[in-house]
Amino acid sequence: MSNPQQLRYSKEHEWLSGAEEGVSTVGITEHAANALGDVVYVQLPEVGATVAAGETCGELESTKSVSDLYSPVDGEIAEINEDVVNDPSLVNSAPFEGGWLFKVKISGEPGELLSADEYAAFITG
Amino acid sequence: MTDAPRRTALDATHRALGATMTDFAGWDMPLRYSSERDEHVAVRTRAGLFDLSHMGEITVTGPQAADLLDYALVGNIGGVKTGRARYTMICEAEGGILDDLIVYRLADQEYMVVANASNAQVVLDALTARAGGFDAAIRDDRDAYALLAVQGPESPGILKALTDADLDGLKYYAGLPGTVAGVEALIARTGYTGEDGFELFVRPADAVALWEALTEAGKDTGLVPCGLSCRDTLRLEAGMPLYGHELTTATTPFDAGLGRVVKFEKTTNDGDFVGRAALAAAAERAEANPPRKLVGLIAGGRRVPRAGYPVVTADGTVIGEVTSGAPSPTLGKPIAIAYVEAAYATPGTEGVCVDIRGSHEPYEVIALPFYKRQK
């Protein structure tokens, strides 16, 4: 499993893209998607909602469990991925691409985010 | 004392297949190999191969083996013919369910009791404690067997390619000794998936060879290895109870809607058996004052009910509790088994909701099971 180099990662297994015009895309990693199993329901924050780094902003539900979704950064939700709401299996099939979850307009400096290599070491460590 | 999880004889095979492993009742077992949904669908439409070596086998032999089992269990075991199997339960003296079991009569004076992995020691201890005065021997055979299951509509064809045993003559809930892929096996037509299928009890040393032979024999029909995750959704759709969820020591068979497994008219031991008085009282209580009933719930939305979630009316009054819930691959909707008050248990009852983390989601009440295979 490979973690794209251009992304940054949280210890809660979200990824965050580089910000274009102050807006970053957030998803969960392939490692997290595999650990969850088949994702069957996602509850995403509403567009315009304020999210805070490390705080719950939604839910990911798989066959076996419910997991909280955290935001890796402070900011305001700019867009949510309606495709993944309609077809939650995208989280499993394309976690770094079509399975992205939301876009956030970052309002503060991200906290402790990891590089791809650091994240790889974190999940195998 | 730290106990590392036990590994089955197929452990290296699972790892080579890339299985996601999970701790289950002290065993390191495959949860899934790929997608649990795909594995589920394979069993419903083609075939799936399971390692169930964590199940607990106990052999009971001797002139009074039947008498002992009639006394220790709630079913009429003496009435089981050689080569047949029966679903039954072992209860506490107070009536609570210690475990649900399948008992195979292998010979006139030989039975194999198969217990859930989590309860194998409890069942072994209870049988041993109840054996006093009977001319019968109890043998812990948990390490003597590996258990492989082939389940799904293609399973008879797959097995036929590997055995001369008379599978057509082998009825549901029957078992016979035979040879499969050159390996000695007890071939049983049982399972926990709602599909036709077979469970193969073999020596652990033969497990890998048998797994590989079954994999090869099933490759043209789309047999896939299957983990415990899809086993749970398969049994849930089939409305089969799971110990620790629908069945517990706090529940008698009558409270679980399974009073039919209790046989008060036994011909052995003057009709006496452990739990008799308490179960007779539970039967009367259930008759006079209907207990909560096990029903099926089908979600209108996508949110999944989980064990322990309250079943409520629209105004939030608690009328029951979910015991098992999962997204159903066959129905394409979340489903649940729940105990609900008798007044709300009729199929089609309006206004039944599940409290999913604070939100009251509407559910349709149905009679179990959710899925019944077409024969």
Side-chain angles (χ1 to χ4, degrees):
Chain A
M1 160 180 349
S2 65
N3 301 299
Q5 286 292 329
Q6 74 278 16
L7 303 177
R8 288 176 294 167
Y9 299 86
S10 77
K11 289 186 175 175
E12 279 81 37
H13 309 286
E14 292 92 30
W15 55 261
L16 179 75
S17 74
E20 289 171 23
E21 296 175 355
V23 175
S24 290
T25 306
V26 174
I28 66 162
T29 66
E30 185 175 4
H31 171 78
N34 284 347
L36 283 172
D38 292 334
V39 175
V40 296
Y41 175 80
V42 296
Q43 186 186 51
L44 299 175
E46 288 179 15
V47 172
T50 304
V51 293
E55 289 189 8
T56 307
C57 64
E59 274 177 12
L60 293 170
E61 185 137 19
S62 66
T63 306
K64 276 299 178 198
S65 64
V66 188
S67 303
D68 284 327
L69 172 65
Y70 301 92
S71 174
V73 290
D74 294 343
E76 184 185 317
I77 299 297
E79 186 182 345
I80 62 166
N81 185 355
E82 295 289 351
D83 290 347
V84 87
V85 172
N86 295 326
D87 179 9
S89 72
L90 286 171
V91 174
N92 297 104
S93 59
F96 295 114
E97 291 152 1
W100 65 273
L101 298 175
F102 57 84
K103 296 188 180 185
V104 56
K105 190 169 192 309
I106 298 177
S107 63
E109 279 302 302
E112 254 192 279
L113 294 179
L114 308 175
S115 70
D117 292 342
E118 286 166 343
Y119 179 69
F122 172 67
I123 59 178
T124 51
Chain B
M1 195 174 88
T2 56
D3 285 326
R6 300 180 65 187
R7 296 180 170 193
T8 77
L10 289 158
D11 189 74
T13 304
H14 301 319
R15 286 166 205 281
L17 288 166
T20 300
M21 306 296 285
T22 187
D23 181 84
F24 186 87
W27 291 81
D28 205 14
M29 299 299 293
L31 185 64
R32 56 189 146 82
Y33 299 82
S34 57
S35 148
E36 56 240 337
R37 191 189 294 117
D38 293 349
E39 292 170 19
H40 181 111
V41 171
V43 173
R44 286 273 178 265
T45 59
R46 305 187 305 274
L49 178 58
F50 295 83
D51 177 13
L52 305 176
S53 298
H54 60 312
M55 301 292 285
E57 298 84 4
I58 300 161
T59 304
V60 181
T61 56
Q64 288 191 297
D67 295 5
L68 163 58
L69 290 170
D70 272 343
Y71 173 69
L73 312 180
V74 300
N76 184 356
I77 305 304
V80 178
K81 293 191 170 67
T82 297
R84 300 305 302 265
R86 185 154 297 173
Y87 178 77
T88 186
M89 293 183 187
I90 183 166
C91 289
E92 299 172 311
E94 298 77 21
I97 301 167
L98 285 172
D99 200 11
D100 60 338
L101 307 166
I102 293 180
V103 178
Y104 297 86
R105 187 169 199 168
L106 302 181
D108 186 40
Q109 297 186 5
E110 182 177 359
Y111 295 84
M112 182 170 71
V113 177
V114 182
N116 284 299
S118 54
N119 290 328
Q121 189 64 47
V122 168
V123 174
L124 182 65
D125 291 345
L127 283 178
T128 305
R130 295 171 187 187
F134 290 98
D135 185 3
I138 293 168
R139 190 170 73 227
D140 177 1
D141 269 345
R142 284 177 289 180
D143 294 335
Y145 291 106
L147 175 57
L148 278 64
V150 190
Q151 300 280 302
E154 299 286 354
S155 55
I158 291 167
L159 214 56
K160 274 179 193 169
L162 298 174
T163 184
D164 294 332
D166 176 19
L167 298 183
D168 292 331
L170 188 66
K171 294 177 181 157
Y172 189 53
Y173 265 78
L176 59 83
T179 303
V180 181
V183 163
E184 272 178 47
L186 170 69
I187 307 167
R189 199 160 204 157
T190 44
Y192 194 49
T193 60
E195 296 301 331
D196 192 8
F198 301 87
E199 295 186 309
L200 306 170
F201 296 85
V202 299
R203 281 188 291 262
D206 293 329
V208 171
L210 179 58
W211 178 280
E212 287 173 355
L214 289 164
T215 300
E216 178 66 22
K219 74 171 194 265
D220 292 340
T221 46
L223 172 120
V224 297
C226 292
L228 295 183
S229 185
C230 80
R231 182 172 158 86
D232 191 47
T233 50
L234 289 159
R235 72 91 194 167
L236 206 171
E237 286 184 351
M240 295 173 172
L242 173 62
Y243 198 85
H245 288 252
E246 286 73 36
L247 312 177
T248 70
T249 50
T251 309
T252 72
F254 295 95
D255 299 311
L258 292 164
R260 64 179 181 277
V261 305
V262 180
K263 304 296 182 196
F264 290 109
E265 294 78 33
K266 299 196 192 197
T267 54
T268 47
N269 312 305
D270 297 325
D272 190 29
F273 61 94
V274 177
R276 183 186 174 101
L279 290 167
E284 276 185 36
R285 265 200 320 273
E287 185 76 27
N289 183 16
R292 287 182 169 190
K293 287 190 174 163
L294 270 183
V295 298
L297 299 176
I298 301 177
R302 286 199 192 169
R303 305 185 83 187
V304 184
R306 307 281 172 185
Y309 286 10
V311 180
V312 297
T313 59
D315 67 6
T317 308
V318 176
I319 54 166
E321 185 176 306
V322 172
T323 51
S324 298
S328 161
T330 302
L331 277 67
K333 295 173 180 175
I335 58 171
I337 298 178
Y339 280 110
V340 300
E341 286 174 14
Y344 296 89
T346 309
T349 301
E350 298 281 322
V352 172
C353 301
V354 176
D355 182 340
I356 297 191
R357 302 183 294 285
S359 149
H360 296 170
E361 303 279 332
Y363 276 77
E364 179 190 351
V365 179
I366 66 147
L368 293 168
F370 298 94
Y371 168 84
K372 201 163 183 168
R373 81 182 162 100
Q374 306 296 314
K375 294 187 186 176

